[in-house]
């Protein structure tokens, strides 16, 4: 049985004071609960303070992106070892905003995944199709390609550290969610693809989160699907009550 994993992607939001306040509310709200894995992904510049506030909790802290390089003359970049240094254990890789706005290709994403694993960071690999790709019946093809190129040369041992987030691009920040059945179908396809690429044990262990306009109103239905093992939450993770409600919903399936 896979433990549900709820992650909050704070994106480029909040002030330092807001981020610290939100972290404190999560610390209080999650005390003593460990039925669900919970993670937060603040802006780079808030990581240290959020890590300090949550250091006595079980909440995972991660970055929203990282460099594929180890160190050196890469102005503006942040390495995996720097993330470890401030207390991160996780990192988002290949979020659709990185893919579309910053032109991250599957090959860049593959290099970043390798750099994350080398630094002992657990990645959440984001995949998902755009509206026009879904309309053209290409969802499976797009997702399969993101997985095969993104995971190139990664072993099953490495892949077991990974979480995959299925985030249909048309559902991110739009208020439009995939129906629970639509999402579950793609999750099942992702698990089958992992089984073909690796083995049944790897496919059964890997957690697949759904992301895209998840909120306290729709979470329960999505999380109740057999192939959905958690959620990657954007907008609703900025409000402690909504995020904690989503975590409680997930706990009811653990
Ligand atoms: P959203 O974002 O919940 O605001 O749609 C999800 C994400 O981009 O990870």
């Amino acid at each position: 049985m896979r433990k549900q994993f709820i992650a909050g992607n704070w994106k480029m939001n909040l002030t330092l004071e807001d981020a610290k306040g939100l972290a404190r509310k999560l610390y209080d709200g999650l005390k003593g609960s460990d039925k669900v894995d919970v993670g937060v992904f603040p802006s780079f510049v808030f990581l240290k303070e959020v890590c300090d506030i949550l250091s006595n909790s079980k909440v995972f802290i991660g970055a929203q992106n990282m460099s594929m390089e180890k160190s050196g003359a890469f102005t503006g970049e942040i390495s995996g070892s720097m993330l470890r240094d401030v207390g991160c254990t996780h990192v988002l890789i290949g979020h659709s905003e990185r893919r579309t706005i910053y032109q991250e290709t599957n090959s860049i994403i593959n290099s970043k995944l390798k750099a994350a694993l080398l630094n002992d960071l657990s990645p959440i690999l984001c995949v998902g199709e755009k509206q026009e790709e879904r309309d053209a019946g290409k969802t499976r093809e797009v997702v399969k390609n993101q997985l095969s190129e993104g995971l190139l040369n990664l072993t099953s041992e490495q892949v077991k550290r990974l979480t995959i987030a299925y985030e249909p691009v048309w559902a991110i920040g739009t208020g439009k969610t995939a129906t629970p059945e639509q999402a579950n179908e793609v999750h099942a396809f992702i698990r089958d693809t992992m089984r073909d690429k690796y083995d049944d044990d790897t496919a059964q262990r890997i957690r697949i989160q759904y992301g895209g306009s998840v909120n306290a109103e729709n979470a329960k239905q999505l999380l109740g699907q057999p192939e959905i093992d958690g959620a990657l939450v954007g907008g609703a993770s900025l409000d402690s009550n909504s995020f904690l409600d989503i975590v409680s919903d997930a706990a009811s399936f653990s």
Side-chain angles (χ1 to χ4, degrees):
M1 170 102 179
R2 294 176 294 267
K3 192 172 182 182
Q4 293 263 338
F5 180 11
I6 304 296
N9 175 9
W10 296 358
K11 306 195 183 186
M12 197 174 74
N13 291 303
L14 309 175
T15 62
L16 176 58
E17 279 318 303
D18 290 341
K20 284 161 62 176
L22 180 52
R24 281 191 205 102
K25 284 189 185 149
L26 297 183
Y27 181 86
D28 291 338
L30 291 166
K31 256 187 207 151
S33 79
D34 64 354
K35 277 182 141 181
V36 175
D37 282 336
V38 178
V40 291
F41 294 76
S43 150
F44 285 125
V45 294
F46 303 154
L47 282 171
K48 177 77 179 80
E49 317 247 358
V50 171
C51 283
D52 288 346
I53 292 167
L54 292 168
S55 63
N56 284 326
S57 75
K58 295 208 167 102
V59 180
F60 303 138
I61 323 281
Q64 299 167 16
N65 178 33
M66 65 176 277
S67 171
M68 67 171 92
E69 306 292 347
K70 249 185 168 164
S71 65
F74 301 101
T75 302
E77 291 289 282
I78 311 248
S79 71
S81 64
M82 291 171 179
L83 296 180
R84 284 240 55 117
D85 228 6
V86 292
C88 290
T89 52
H90 285 64
V91 61
L92 297 184
I93 303 282
H95 188 277
S96 72
E97 286 146 23
R98 302 294 321 167
R99 292 177 186 265
T100 55
I101 308 171
Y102 301 102
Q103 282 84 44
E104 285 192 13
T105 60
N106 287 325
S107 141
I108 292 174
I109 288 160
N110 179 247
S111 301
K112 291 190 173 191
L113 283 174
K114 289 176 180 160
L117 292 163
L118 267 179
N119 284 288
D120 204 23
L121 291 163
S122 300
I124 298 184
L125 168 65
C126 306
V127 298
E129 81 288 0
K130 296 184 181 142
Q131 181 74 63
E132 60 270 25
E133 292 165 337
R134 174 163 281 261
D135 293 345
K138 290 191 171 155
T139 299
R140 289 174 175 230
E141 189 186 317
V142 168
V143 170
K144 190 170 186 172
N145 197 39
Q146 288 171 335
L147 290 173
S148 60
E149 293 183 11
L151 300 176
L152 196 70
N153 295 327
L154 292 187
T155 64
S156 60
E157 278 322 299
Q158 290 177 308
V159 161
K160 280 180 187 141
R161 290 206 53 174
L162 209 80
T163 300
I164 296 174
Y166 168 58
E167 300 202 302
V169 180
W170 47 271
I172 297 179
T174 56
K176 272 199 240 174
T177 38
T179 63
E181 296 71 25
Q182 271 175 331
N184 194 61
E185 192 189 315
V186 182
H187 282 229
F189 173 73
I190 292 173
R191 205 173 303 286
D192 286 345
T193 305
M194 295 306 283
R195 188 175 294 111
D196 292 347
K197 206 171 153 48
Y198 294 97
D199 48 61
D200 189 51
D201 180 50
T202 310
Q204 287 302 338
R205 274 210 224 180
I206 199 154
R207 290 186 289 192
I208 310 175
Q209 296 172 321
Y210 171 78
S213 297
V214 175
N215 57 36
E217 281 71 53
N218 59 27
K220 205 160 196 164
Q221 272 195 306
L222 288 157
L223 297 172
Q225 295 292 313
E227 296 295 342
I228 301 186
D229 310 314
L232 180 54
V233 186
S237 72
L238 299 172
D239 177 78
S240 59
N241 291 328
S242 305
F243 190 67
L244 290 169
D245 282 350
I246 297 170
V247 174
S248 309
D249 287 339
S252 65
F253 299 111
S254 286

